[in-house]
Amino acid sequence: MLEMPNDKIIDKMESMLNIASDFTRLKIMYAISEKEKNVSEIIKEVGASQSLISHQLHVLRKANLVSTRKEGTCVYYSLADEHVIKLLNVVYEHVLEE
């Protein structure tokens, strides 16, 4: 059985799950799950406008779900760490069980 986290931790967990649960954000996270990509590549894969992708990447970065690497004038996005990959995998596997 899991130990109940304190309210501050529960609040942070709720916020992170709410951020990750957006349709476009999920598609972005999957688009960059195997290799880092720039905004143009993400736009093509996700099929959304540049402004929507940029806004959602900002939200994901603020929540520490996505990290960046700058090369010249180009910014590359990737998942922040293995925890984000695990989160996506757990949710995916759970949905497939239904």
Side-chain angles (χ1 to χ4, degrees):
M1 183 108 182
L2 296 174
E3 183 179 323
M4 174 71 76
N6 65 43
D7 288 352
K8 184 177 179 181
I9 298 296
I10 291 285
D11 187 53
K12 286 183 176 184
M13 290 170 68
E14 176 190 26
S15 177
M16 181 168 290
L17 289 171
N18 280 331
I19 290 166
S21 69
D22 178 84
F23 184 84
T24 303
R25 291 183 206 131
L26 278 169
K27 287 182 79 171
I28 290 170
M29 288 189 289
Y30 270 101
I32 61 175
S33 63
E34 291 192 20
K35 71 172 199 144
E36 65 182 11
K37 294 180 180 160
N38 64 33
V39 172
S40 297
E41 294 170 312
I42 297 168
I43 288 168
K44 288 178 190 170
E45 192 163 337
V46 173
S49 69
Q50 187 272 329
S51 61
L52 178 60
I53 296 295
S54 293
H55 172 72
Q56 299 301 352
L57 283 167
H58 174 75
V59 172
L60 290 166
R61 283 185 64 203
K62 195 173 176 183
N64 296 318
L65 293 169
V66 167
S67 59
T68 60
R69 177 182 67 83
K70 194 167 186 175
E71 190 174 298
T73 59
C74 195
V75 179
Y76 291 91
Y77 295 86
S78 60
L79 295 180
D81 58 30
E82 286 294 316
H83 295 112
V84 182
I85 294 168
K86 287 179 185 179
L87 177 65
L88 291 173
N89 283 332
V90 167
V91 172
Y92 180 78
E93 290 171 7
H94 185 72
V95 167
L96 289 180
E97 288 177 359
E98 295 177 351

